[in-house]
Structure formats: structure tokens, C-alpha cells
């Protein structure tokens, strides 16, 4: 899908956020623009991805289920029957799976990284159907869909039909999905595994296919950003960047090359925005610099780089960067406000430093400004020293004459 400047829709299917409302940062360029605002970059090594679900561990045998752990009756016949048939997927009672129709054996389970196709039916606790898809395809483990699906589909055998009961945490969280899924809603998912195949070789994708795939991952990152789930947003942007930057054995047209670069820049910018939210300043600065290597006049990257430097107290370096952004877009009120704030902070910082130097020199009562001091020093002090040195030199000559005369 071609990139667009449209703001990601909060109703996109996917994992719920962290349970906190997204911040309305009026002073940030992110919210003043569309997310194309989420539109930009990533950094792998310095971003803590420890909050991601333990996908490797979900296949471990579950502890014997308790009688009181049985999920409530759902509108699916005997689906919520014998509690002994339920698997507590994460061991916390919030995500459970039950086989309705057996599959082809454990060896037929899909692997993380494969593209899987499932039949999906999602219902609320009152039995209201909120989603049906006869052939939903996604990459397993890439957080392309609800986390409940990402965690449980890898436990399905080929041809198996299962019932999944999930708390809101692994679905749409505290925000829900307007207009059909209310906040903090649990979901019951009926899932049948239809197919699993290896993901396509990125080197063999056409330009159009690579652009579409990278954009899907980027848009997924935008969804997570709007859910205030910045760790998973970073994960999605990193995947999109890996796709867009992968080598190719297929020739691309100049237009496709330009569009791939556009996707890459958007991912890097949005990655920087996510990293800023997590106070990963070093990573965010690297992301901004990567954008500016491709597009030195990218206003969003300049703005965010200025924000990163300001957050680190580097006002002297941040101010000219924001001035450069403002020169490119003089009417941008967000940049105006940020620049004014930084200029004031920088002035305050200099005043504090000046006072500190005065105290260090033992002259705290001096009322003259640093500029006036600098004006006096080159003339007053050097001339005093010059006269003193001259007097000493003349005295030394006279003493030498007297000594020589006596000898």
C-alpha cells in the first residue's frame, strides 16, 4: 500500500495499549501533524523490548487448572464446558485456550515468522459478534494482530479449531475500539488454523510488494503509538525498516526507489518520536540523524533532534537546529513555542553559570555583567602588569649598575 499522510485510525485491529491514555502533547510536532506524524525511524540495540510477551514460553505445559479458573459460559454451545480442557496460556488466568476440533498433530503447528491464515470470529461477553474474517493472514510473532491471537495461534495445530478467552489486556485494552468494542472488554475468539507458509523472501519481492509490506508494518506501529504502547511501536517500525532496507535481486524503478526512501524516512521519524516518549535519547538522536542524512531539510527530524538535545540540557546546540526548522516553516507555531522556551532556558542557564563563576572567584558582589568584565580585562589588567613589569626591569638594571660599580 502506498504511504499516505493520513492519521492512523484508532480502530485498527491489534494489541491493546499499556492501559494509559495517549498523551496530548500540544507542544510536540507529533500531535500537531498527522502521524505520518508517526512517520519515522528506529533503533534496535538501545530500546528495551523486555516488555514484549514471552512468545518462546507459551508452549510450555500449563499447570493443572483450578476449578474456579473456568471462564464464564459463552454463546458457543459446550465451548466453556469441562475446565480441565482449558489451557492457561500465560499462567496468569487472563488468556485461555480450548480445543473444539483437533488438528493434525503438534508437528503441524506454525512457527514464529511464518505467514498464517486463520478463520476468525470475535464476540463480546454478551455474545455480540464484533469481527468475522474467513481468511485473516498475518505474520506470526510480528504483533500484526491482537496479542491474544499472536500468542495463541502458534499453539494451534493445522486444521484445529479453538476457542480463546482473553481479557482486555491482550485485546483492545482500556481504550477499546470505537464504536463496537467498549473499553476494558474481554473477547472470545473462535479461531481455525487454515494455512501456514514461510514468509516471502524479501530479496525477491517486487518494488510494489516491498513498499506495501513495509507500509503495513509502519501503520501497525502508528496504531501502537496511538495506544501509547511505545515499545511495540518501536518493534513495528524496526520491522518496517528492515523490510524497506533489505537487499533486492529485483530491479526497482526510480519512482519505487523514491517511495521506499519515503517509507524509510517516515519510519525513522516515528521511531524517534517513540524513543523520545521512552526517554531513549541516544537512540532518538541516532534516528533523527539518519533521517537528516537522507533529507537535511526534514522539518520533523530537525524538530525532534532539537527536542532530544533540549531534553539533555544541550540548549546551545538545540537552538540553531530549531531555528533551521523554523526558517523552513516560519508559520509553525509549535516550533515557535519550543524555540522561545529554549531561548529562555538557555538564558537562565547562562545566568546560573555566571553566578557560579563569580562565587568561585570570590567576588559575588560584582554587579557588572560578563560582557562588561570582558571589555575591561583586555585594557586594565594588561596595562597594570605592563607598568609593574617595566618598574621591576628598571630596578634590576639599576641594581646591576651599582654592583658593577662597586666591583
Amino acid at each position: 500500500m502506498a504511504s499516505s499522510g493520513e492519521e492512523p485510525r484508532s480502530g485498527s485491529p491489534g494489541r491493546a495499549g499499556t492501559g494509559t491514555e495517549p498523551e496530548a502533547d500540544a507542544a510536540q510536532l507529533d500531535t500537531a501533524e498527522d502521524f505520518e506524524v508517526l512517520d519515522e525511524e528506529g533503533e534496535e540495540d538501545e530500546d528495551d523490548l523486555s516488555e514484549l510477551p514471552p512468545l518462546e514460553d507459551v508452549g510450555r505445559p500449563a499447570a493443572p487448572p483450578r476449578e474456579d479458573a473456568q471462564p464464564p459460559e459463552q454463546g458457543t454451545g459446550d465451548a466453556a464446558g469441562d475446565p480441565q480442557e482449558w489451557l492457561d496460556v500465560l499462567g496468569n488466568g487472563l488468556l485461555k485456550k480450548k480445543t473444539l476440533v483437533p488438528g493434525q498433530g503438534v508437528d503441524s503447528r506454525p512457527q514464529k515468522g511464518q505467514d498464517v491464515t486463520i478463520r476468525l470470529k470475535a464476540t463480546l461477553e454478551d455474545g455480540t459478534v464484533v469481527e468475522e474474517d474467513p481468511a485473516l493472514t498475518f505474520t506470526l510473532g510480528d504483533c500484526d494482530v491482537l496479542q491474544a491471537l499472536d500468542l495463541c495461534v502458534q499453539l494451534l495445530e493445522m486444521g484445529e479449531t479453538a476457542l480463546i478467552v482473553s481479557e482486555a489486556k491482550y485485546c483492545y485494552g482500556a481504550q477499546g475500539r470505537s464504536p463496537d468494542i467498549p473499553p476494558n472488554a474481554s473477547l472470545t475468539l473462535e479461531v481455525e488454523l487454515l494455512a501456514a507458509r514461510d514468509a516471502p523472501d524479501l530479496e525477491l519481492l517486487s518494488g510494489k510488494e516491498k513498499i506495501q509490506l513495509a507500509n503495513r508494518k509502519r501503520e501497525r506501529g502508528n496504531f501502537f503509538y496511538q495506544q501509547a504502547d511505545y515499545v511495540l511501536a518501536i518493534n513495528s517500525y524496526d520491522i518496517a525498516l528492515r523490510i524497506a532496507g533489505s537487499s533486492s535481486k529485483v530491479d526497482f524503478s526510480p519512482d519505487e526507489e523514491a517511495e521506499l526512501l519515503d517509507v524509510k524516512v517516515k519510519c525513522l521519524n516515528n521511531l524517534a518520536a517513540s524513543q523520545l516518549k521512552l526517554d531513549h535519547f541516544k537512540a532518538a538522536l541516532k534516528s533523527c540523524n539518519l533521517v537528516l542524512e537522507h533529507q537535511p531539510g526534514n522539518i520533523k527530524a530537525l524538530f525532534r533532534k532539537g527536542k532530544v538535545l533540549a531534553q539533555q540540557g544541550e540548549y546551545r546546540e538545540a537552538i540553531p537546529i530549531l531555528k533551521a526548522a523554523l526558517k523552513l516553516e516560519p508559520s509553525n507555531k509549535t516550533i515557535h513555542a519550543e524555540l522561545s522556551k529554549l531561548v529562555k532556558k538557555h538564558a537562565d542557564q547562562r545566568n546560573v553559570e555566571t553566578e557560579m563563576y563569580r562565587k568561585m572567584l570570590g567576588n559575588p558582589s560584582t554587579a557588572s555583567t560578563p560582557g562588561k568584565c570582558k571589555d575591561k580585562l583586555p585594557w586594565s589588567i594588561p596595562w597594570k602588569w605592563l607598568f609593574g613589569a617595566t618598574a621591576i626591569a628598571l630596578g634590576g638594571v639599576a641594581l646591576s649598575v651599582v654592583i658593577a660599580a662597586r666591583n
Side-chain angles (χ1 to χ4, degrees), residues 147-158:
Q147 192 179 14
L149 288 173
D150 226 3
L151 290 168
C152 293
V153 167
Q154 61 188 293
L155 302 178
L156 297 181
E157 300 170 3
M158 190 59 60

Side-chain angles (χ1 to χ4, degrees), residues 21-38:
E21 292 294 330
E23 301 175 24
D25 296 322
Q28 293 204 12
L29 204 61
D30 328 322
T31 53
E33 314 158 31
D34 62 356
F35 265 98
E36 197 194 26
V37 152
L38 264 191

Side-chain angles (χ1 to χ4, degrees), residues 39-47 233-234 237-238 241 263-277 280-296 298 300-306 308:
D39 259 54
E40 304 131 339
E41 114 130 47
E43 154 74 34
E44 314 82 9
D45 298 333
E46 289 148 315
D47 292 309
I234 287 171
Y237 295 135
D238 280 341
L241 283 167
V263 173
K264 194 180 301 184
V265 166
K266 287 180 178 180
C267 287
L268 286 170
N269 262 332
N270 289 349
L271 182 57
S274 302
Q275 290 161 336
L276 262 173
K277 292 290 189 181
H280 292 181
F281 300 129
K282 184 178 179 181
L285 188 60
K286 180 178 178 181
S287 299
C288 293
N289 286 335
L290 286 171
V291 174
L292 296 173
E293 285 179 13
H294 296 296
Q295 297 178 357
N298 187 288
K300 291 178 186 175
L302 288 169
F303 179 84
R304 291 191 179 115
K305 183 174 181 178
V308 171

Side-chain angles (χ1 to χ4, degrees), residues 318-392:
I319 288 171
I321 292 173
L322 288 180
K323 284 182 177 179
L326 191 60
K327 186 176 181 180
L328 292 170
E329 195 170 308
S331 61
N332 191 304
K333 295 180 180 179
T334 303
I335 303 176
H336 265 293
E338 188 66 25
L339 183 56
S340 299
K341 184 169 63 176
L342 289 191
V343 169
K344 184 179 184 305
K345 286 184 177 180
H346 185 42
D348 292 343
Q349 184 185 60
R350 291 176 61 187
N351 289 337
V352 170
E353 290 175 353
T354 300
E355 186 63 27
M356 181 181 67
Y357 293 146
R358 287 174 182 166
K359 290 180 179 179
M360 289 173 60
L361 294 172
N363 189 23
S365 62
T366 302
S368 59
T369 64
K372 292 180 180 178
C373 289
K374 290 178 182 178
D375 289 341
K376 290 181 178 180
L377 287 176
W379 296 99
S380 59
I381 294 178
W383 279 109
K384 289 179 182 178
W385 280 103
L386 180 59
F387 286 130
T390 303
I392 292 171

Side-chain angles (χ1 to χ4, degrees), residues 74-118:
Q74 308 292 328
T76 52
D78 62 351
D82 186 352
Q84 297 297 324
E85 298 177 11
W86 287 93
L87 172 67
D88 188 350
V89 176
L90 298 176
N92 59 8
L94 302 181
L95 183 63
K96 300 178 186 300
K97 168 190 172 289
K98 176 182 177 180
T99 298
L100 300 180
V101 178
Q104 299 172 12
V106 174
D107 292 341
S108 66
R109 287 179 176 177
Q111 301 298 312
K112 184 179 177 182
Q114 287 188 313
D115 286 346
V116 298
T117 301
I118 63 171

Side-chain angles (χ1 to χ4, degrees), residues 207 211 252-262:
I211 291 166
F252 296 163
S253 70
D255 287 345
E256 289 172 337
E257 291 282 5
E259 196 166 353
L260 268 176
L261 177 60
D262 183 58

